[in-house]
Amino acid sequence: MQKYFSVLRETPLFAATTDEELAAMLHCLATAPRAFAKGDVLLLAGEPAQAMGIVCEGTVHIVRDSLLGDRTLVAALGPGEVFAETLVCAQEAHSPVNVLAATACVALFLHPQKLLAPCTSACPQHTRLIGSMLRLLAQKNLYLQQKMDIMAQKTTRDKLLAFFDAQLLRVGGDTFTLPFTREALADYLGVNRSAMSRELSALRAEGILTVQGRQVTKG
Amino acid sequence: MQKYFSVLRETPLFAATTDEELAAMLHCLATAPRAFAKGDVLLLAGEPAQAMGIVCEGTVHIVRDSLLGDRTLVAALGPGEVFAETLVCAQEAHSPVNVLAATACVALFLHPQKLLAPCTSACPQHTRLIGSMLRLLAQKNLYLQQKMDIMAQKTTRDKLLAFFDAQLLRVGGDTFTLPFTREALADYLGVNRSAMSRELSALRAEGILTVQGRQVTKG
DNA sequence: CAAAAACCGTTGCATTTGCAACAGCGAGGC
DNA sequence: GCCTCGCTGTTGCAAATGCAACGGTTTTTG
């Protein structure tokens, strides 16, 4: 268990905790880390989530199966990343997604019910953890709302500009680096790759943007 | 204050609490209800949210101003509805939206920091409230994710079908009632109203749906 | 009750988009 | 060095979409 402490500290939940604090908290709400083989199912769509998970080793895929039977990859999580936290907190009866082991991996499961249950309290880490949990959910919320603002734009051009504006606002300059390959960006915006490429060229031709590889400059 | 107890119990935060519990909790984390005149600003975009709010009387509008200066109405909240809960929990420095009094109204402000701060605990409502708060945020999260799934569809037809499927899944039958006017539905899906109307007619003509007013039946 | 406003479906048209196919390019493996 | 493979930009074309406008219906309001 001890071997994963450095990974756990990378999560927003356990940032800046001492070994002792971590040990105490995990003792309180975690089960032993579990190992999975590639392809194993960590959480099945349709089932309730019993606990939230933290990836310790390997890669985990969040996968959605459509009614028509095709799979789409929602997210790929590496060490230190968290999954199913929304489902447990919402007390949802049915998970809308599958969680699969993309490689051999190790995950730690936490039971947030225990966060609240006996109000063991008095222990300050306990309340700090609750605060982190609230912040984690709220930030994910803001992220989704921001993405919605972008996706709500009607044209590809407007989606691109909305996305760029958001990025520029974040870094506070007039240049930023795309965190995506073009293909992934088109996917993120929910548009066709070639149509997006066309629009990017147009924006460049009109002098609205300068694009060099992943460097984007406004003006 | 007492006069708002029935309204407060309509929020997911204070569902099923006795008068005594409510009084104790509010004493612990609320300030006195404040009245606003129509047009007053409850929260200004760009400012940090100091507290979350609950509408007691009247109507409150959540409004987003675009870079170009045009306003879009994000939500209209009535008595018992909550706002700014995401912002305080995320500890965000800047609100992306304005909160305005659409009519003369009364709002109650809560300081969730006090939820955690001294871990007054021992009081069981306290921990239950934390649980409600977590659930509130998580459910909003799920709602947004579901909406994203719909908006991520490329064509208007696919958006409609995705939305209908989600609704049918909720009610568990093959018929449901639209919670929207057509205009609002188009807005919700982020598409042009007339284009949506066209597509709706096509779906009906192809026998995929039956639509009568706000009644939608599959098959 | 009558006027006004809101809502809905329809249509023509210009524009945008998705889709499929192709070619250029660079990284990495053999 | 050569080959493969993945990423990227481009283009032609059919289909989808936004937009504006119109008429009919329902709802609201004075």
Side-chain angles (χ1 to χ4, degrees):
Chain A
M1 176 74 96
Q2 196 96 4
K3 66 186 280 204
Y4 296 124
F5 278 11
S6 63
V7 172
L8 291 176
R9 262 191 284 267
E10 290 173 20
T11 74
L13 292 182
F14 298 117
T17 52
T18 66
D19 278 8
E20 292 74 34
E21 291 170 346
L22 246 180
M25 290 158 81
L26 293 180
H27 175 72
C28 181
L29 28 97
T31 58
R34 285 171 56 193
F36 296 88
K38 174 175 177 175
D40 278 358
V41 176
L42 281 72
L43 172 63
L44 196 60
E47 299 293 308
Q50 311 284 359
M52 55 179 285
I54 304 179
V55 180
C56 298
E57 286 178 17
T59 304
V60 160
H61 279 182
I62 314 286
V63 165
R64 158 166 270 123
D65 291 345
S66 86
L67 296 175
L68 301 154
D70 37 283
R71 303 203 134 174
T72 59
L73 179 64
V74 177
L77 308 183
E81 295 193 278
V82 177
F83 61 89
E85 77 284 4
T86 303
L87 290 171
V88 271
C89 289
Q91 302 176 344
E92 263 304 309
H94 306 287
S95 166
V97 296
N98 291 295
V99 181
L100 307 175
T103 66
C105 63
V106 175
L108 186 67
F109 289 93
L110 304 186
H111 295 273
Q113 305 90 313
K114 294 191 184 163
L115 254 186
L116 307 174
C119 200
T120 21
S121 74
C123 108
Q125 295 87 277
H126 203 122
T127 66
R128 216 176 66 193
L129 186 54
I130 293 178
S132 301
M133 199 68 205
L134 285 171
R135 197 169 53 239
L136 183 70
L137 289 175
Q139 286 177 342
K140 192 167 177 178
N141 231 305
L142 287 175
Y143 168 79
L144 286 171
Q145 287 185 18
Q146 183 179 321
K147 180 165 178 184
M148 285 273 296
D149 283 344
I150 295 171
M151 299 254 300
Q153 304 298 320
K154 290 211 203 325
T155 71
T156 301
R157 167 174 297 223
D158 288 341
K159 287 183 190 174
L160 280 170
L161 292 178
F163 174 69
F164 291 161
D165 278 341
Q167 294 295 313
L168 290 174
L169 198 63
R170 275 168 52 87
V171 304
D174 63 345
T175 295
F176 74 98
T177 305
L178 278 176
F180 290 127
T181 164
R182 296 284 194 275
E183 225 160 357
L185 177 59
D187 199 39
Y188 174 83
L189 298 178
V191 298
N192 181 279
R193 183 191 63 82
S194 71
M196 185 189 81
S197 189
R198 178 162 39 200
E199 203 57 44
L200 270 175
S201 297
L203 285 169
R204 199 168 24 183
E206 295 173 33
I208 299 175
L209 296 178
T210 310
V211 186
Q212 287 174 19
R214 294 196 178 181
Q215 290 288 322
V216 179
T217 307
K218 180 155 191 175
Chain B
M1 177 74 95
Q2 196 96 1
K3 65 187 278 204
Y4 296 125
F5 278 11
S6 64
V7 172
L8 291 177
R9 263 191 281 269
E10 290 173 21
T11 74
L13 291 182
F14 297 116
T17 51
T18 67
D19 278 8
E20 292 73 33
E21 290 169 348
L22 247 180
M25 289 159 82
L26 293 180
H27 175 73
C28 181
L29 27 98
T31 58
R34 284 170 58 192
F36 296 88
K38 175 174 174 175
D40 278 359
V41 176
L42 281 71
L43 172 63
L44 195 61
E47 299 293 308
Q50 310 285 359
M52 55 180 283
I54 304 179
V55 181
C56 298
E57 285 179 18
T59 304
V60 160
H61 279 183
I62 313 285
V63 165
R64 159 168 268 121
D65 292 344
S66 86
L67 295 175
L68 302 153
D70 37 281
R71 303 203 133 173
T72 59
L73 179 64
V74 178
L77 308 184
E81 295 193 279
V82 177
F83 61 89
E85 78 285 3
T86 303
L87 291 171
V88 270
C89 288
Q91 302 177 343
E92 263 303 308
H94 306 288
S95 166
V97 295
N98 291 296
V99 181
L100 307 175
T103 67
C105 64
V106 176
L108 186 68
F109 289 92
L110 306 186
H111 295 273
Q113 306 89 315
K114 294 190 183 162
L115 255 185
L116 308 174
C119 200
T120 20
S121 74
C123 108
Q125 296 87 278
H126 203 123
T127 66
R128 215 176 67 192
L129 186 55
I130 293 179
S132 301
M133 197 71 204
L134 285 171
R135 196 169 54 239
L136 183 70
L137 289 174
Q139 285 177 342
K140 192 166 176 178
N141 232 305
L142 287 175
Y143 167 78
L144 286 172
Q145 287 183 20
Q146 183 179 319
K147 181 166 177 185
M148 284 274 298
D149 283 344
I150 294 170
M151 299 255 299
Q153 304 299 321
K154 291 211 203 325
T155 72
T156 300
R157 166 173 297 222
D158 288 340
K159 286 182 191 176
L160 280 170
L161 291 178
F163 174 69
F164 291 160
D165 279 340
Q167 294 296 314
L168 290 174
L169 197 63
R170 275 168 50 88
V171 303
D174 64 345
T175 295
F176 72 99
T177 303
L178 278 176
F180 290 126
T181 163
R182 297 282 196 275
E183 224 159 0
L185 177 59
D187 200 40
Y188 174 83
L189 298 178
V191 298
N192 181 279
R193 182 191 63 82
S194 70
M196 187 190 80
S197 188
R198 177 160 42 199
E199 202 58 44
L200 226 37
S201 297
L203 285 169
R204 200 169 23 185
E206 296 173 33
I208 299 175
L209 296 178
T210 310
V211 186
Q212 288 174 18
R214 294 195 178 183
Q215 291 288 323
V216 179
T217 307
K218 180 154 191 175

